[in-house]
Amino acid sequence: MMATTGLEKIKDNFLTCSICFEMYTDPCTLRCDHTFCRKCVTSYIQTRPDAVQSKTIPCSCCRQDTNVPDPSRPVEEWAGQIKASIVIQGLVDTYRSEVAVQETPSTCCTICQQLGETTPGVLWCAECEVDLCDKCVKTHRVTPTLLNHDLCDLSSKSKMKRRIKCPEHKSNRAEFHCRDCGKAVCQICCIIYHRACKTVVTIESMKPDMKAALMKKRLGIQKTVKVRSKRLNIRNEKLQNTSRITESVVRSIRLICQTAIDKIKQKETQLLDELNNISKTCANHLRADVKLDEIEMQMYRQHCEFIDQALVSDCEMDLYEAYQAWESGAVEMEDVRDTEAADTRRIDYITFTPHTDGVLKVLHNLQLGKIDVTYQARAEGRYLVDTTDGWAEGDEEDPLLLDVAVLVVDDVQTCVVTDLKNKCVKCFFTRNNHSCRSKLTLDNSPQGMTQFNEKRVMVAVSDSRQIVTLEVTPDLVLLSTITTRSRYYSLAVLNPPSLAAGRQESVDILDMAGHVLRSVTTHKKVSLFTTPFYMCVNNKGNLLVSDCGKTSVTCLTSEGDVVWRFAPTGDRALRYPRGITTTSTGDILIMDSGTDQVVQLTESGEFVRELLTLEDSDETLISDIFCDEYGFLFLCTSTEVKEYIFVHDIKKAHKNES
């Protein structure tokens, strides 16, 4: 039950087409490495008129387009031109075999079942893909066309090596591969259909090349995973930074809003205070008037009482005195109000006229701030993938790395460097997910290095006047030593087999025994070199020499003739050129240690741009540069090797390949 569950997980995760959601049928893989059923690809193309118009096959997962090898053929045949996914098909076949074994408690003979009998099967023929009983096994082994078939127990049925079947003759084993047609074919097909083909080889002879190609592909995928992982980490970090930045912006927006609200509230307070002061003044005036009115009324009442007393008095004298008082003016009806107070302007009525339109207009035009967005440039993208420390066990001094080369040995990427101070060559690689380091101590300090072939490097040991050849396994093994007449500081392998070696004021062309064939020192009676201590070979077989003394780059043919020379002045002048390498497109990359920049030139030596500026490099000297075929850039400093990937810029590159 657990095994069945495991198989179902494998089927769901790896063997199911994302278009039809069924197990793959005739799987094919697009350029983006996504796999689909061939019929599903055909159906999907027919739903995309834009793909038919652009003559490409779009991926339903990532939308990346795959070019059609022969778009002139009908659209229904486009998917048939995509290479079959042999690995996925093998997994599908293995899955079906495992499920068949688990679902069939007692397997019957396939031949007997066709005759209506149920005879228990005992052996399995992988080439015929049938179960055989004892009787049919005997018949199988004596039939001339079947006697070479391998038979196995039913229990080991799923472990049996599957044979490649001829797509044309299903019963025949495909033992050959036609490189011209890209098909696996049987012997009959070779005679009938492929007589005119120039390259038909046995599949057995292709095994080493197939394994090498798959190992190379696997390494490329591993590097892609490394880049994706680095980019994922960067994006996750950016996501966290974005969250923090967003929170900060929210706080700023709320702060400016609160400031505006506080200002409005301040205006509100001012208006309310003004209203309060006016109201108090009005109330005080009214209270004063009320008090004066009350005093006057009291005074009038007293006068009335005085007159009333005189009128009711029987005494003539009281009446006469009252009369005389009023007539003589001794008693006057005076206004008790103060003249100055009476002249003061009195508040009669309080109103408020709101400036609604003006306030709304101000609020409408109010700019609290502006959100600026910086967009990432799509065409540029570089990632620091890895950093390798140049230290190795047994070092007596801090490393001083001068030159770097990167080899792929048995599917293991190996970084080889020369260490001047510790008089050794070191290599760094990863084996079984563990970082490994190896070093080979020399008699004197190594200088320049070049890749001789896939597993060998050559190193110049100037103080000993030697050139040593090392094998990278990926551990370092000393193979041979040749002695030269001069001290050489840089090397490059030319084609046909010869060496270019740089010494003070000269570049010598040597044979493989170290003998000088010719020397290049001048051009048109002008000295070419001072310190040609870094060099490489471009795609055309020409030699590129980086000279920090002349602050120049010189291109020479293998015969020593000058092709071009790059020695600019002004803002583009090189200050201290050292390491040099080329890309697969022919572009040239120079490590200018004086400015900590990687300068890019065209194949003809024309300036393109400053590709990379290194940061935090004040304490270390940047010496060499190397590009591998996958587009990874290795920068060698005095203490470490930095590995970069440039997206959309450098696709594939190489250095000193023979």
Side-chain angles (χ1 to χ4, degrees), residues 414-447:
T414 306
C415 179
V416 185
V417 296
T418 58
D419 188 341
L420 183 72
K421 281 189 176 181
N422 291 290
K423 299 180 180 181
C424 65
V425 179
K426 301 175 179 176
C427 68
F428 310 99
F429 55 94
T430 301
R431 179 184 287 163
N432 297 328
N433 295 325
H434 293 289
S435 297
C436 302
R437 299 168 184 259
S438 175
K439 77 175 183 177
L440 181 67
T441 304
L442 303 175
D443 294 335
N444 282 297
S445 299
Q447 300 279 343

Side-chain angles (χ1 to χ4, degrees), residues 349-392:
Y349 190 69
I350 300 174
T351 61
F352 174 71
T353 304
H355 295 171
T356 305
D357 294 338
V359 171
L360 292 178
K361 185 176 180 180
V362 170
L363 291 176
H364 179 74
N365 297 328
L366 179 63
Q367 297 292 329
L368 297 178
K370 181 182 178 182
I371 298 176
D372 295 321
V373 179
T374 303
Y375 291 94
Q376 182 179 6
R378 184 186 178 117
E380 293 284 341
R382 80 170 188 270
Y383 301 96
L384 177 61
V385 178
D386 198 6
T387 300
T388 303
D389 184 11
W391 176 88

Side-chain angles (χ1 to χ4, degrees), residues 484-534:
T484 59
R485 297 179 60 183
S486 302
R487 300 173 185 266
Y488 292 113
Y489 299 90
S490 58
L491 296 173
V493 177
L494 299 174
N495 192 20
S498 58
L499 285 175
R503 59 183 174 90
Q504 293 285 350
E505 300 182 349
S506 176
V507 171
D508 294 344
I509 308 300
L510 314 178
D511 61 16
M512 299 310 293
H515 303 123
V516 179
L517 301 177
R518 53 193 167 276
S519 297
V520 182
T521 57
T522 60
H523 177 62
K524 295 181 180 181
K525 298 182 180 181
V526 177
S527 174
L528 280 176
F529 308 113
T530 300
T531 51
F533 290 171
Y534 288 90

